[in-house]
Amino acid sequence: QVQLVESGGGSVQAGGSLRLSCAASGYTSSSNCMAWFRQAPGKLRVGVAVIRPDGTTSYADSVKGRFTISQDNAKNTLYLQMNSLKPEDTAMYYCAGRAGPYDKTWYAGCTFGYWGQGTQVTVSS
């Protein structure tokens, strides 16, 4: 059974930093596209950053230069380092991984069908 479990969310002031983690079990994250998505209240879920099996990464324009996606293959864990946080970064953040050909979500050349439960990030001004 595949499980993706996020942690590391919280409340910070603008300009602060947080690091989100996503621990995968029953699944080899390094062999699949992995990504972070976020959903703000009343808005659609959007892709934030993706890391592909070949190690290449892509970012949403709104977070380029501030966020970094990475993974620790030995720990089977995905990370999102978020620096210079802004109030508009406030959202629920979700970890996602490719499941297979019936995935319903597409982002940056990858598809996603496994999701974590989310971790809340709140940035105050």
Side-chain angles (χ1 to χ4, degrees), residues 29-122:
S29 60
S30 60
S31 299
N32 296 278
C33 282
M34 297 293 296
W36 290 95
F37 288 76
R38 68 185 182 187
Q39 186 169 20
K43 296 189 176 181
L44 296 175
R45 185 173 57 191
V46 296
V48 174
V50 64
I51 185 164
R52 303 177 187 85
D54 63 2
T56 59
T57 58
S58 296
Y59 297 90
D61 287 343
S62 58
V63 306
K64 278 181 184 175
R66 300 188 298 122
F67 290 11
T68 302
I69 189 170
S70 63
Q71 59 187 15
D72 184 327
N73 295 340
K75 295 182 178 180
N76 211 22
T77 299
L78 180 74
Y79 301 101
L80 185 68
Q81 178 66 45
M82 305 186 295
N83 299 328
S84 302
L85 282 161
K86 304 176 181 180
E88 51 264 44
D89 295 318
T90 295
M92 185 72 80
Y93 283 71
Y94 298 91
C95 168
R98 183 184 184 278
Y102 299 105
D103 288 353
K104 298 187 186 315
T105 300
W106 181 91
Y107 172 61
C110 295
T111 64
F112 300 93
Y114 292 130
W115 297 89
Q117 83 288 352
T119 186
Q120 178 67 39
V121 171
T122 302

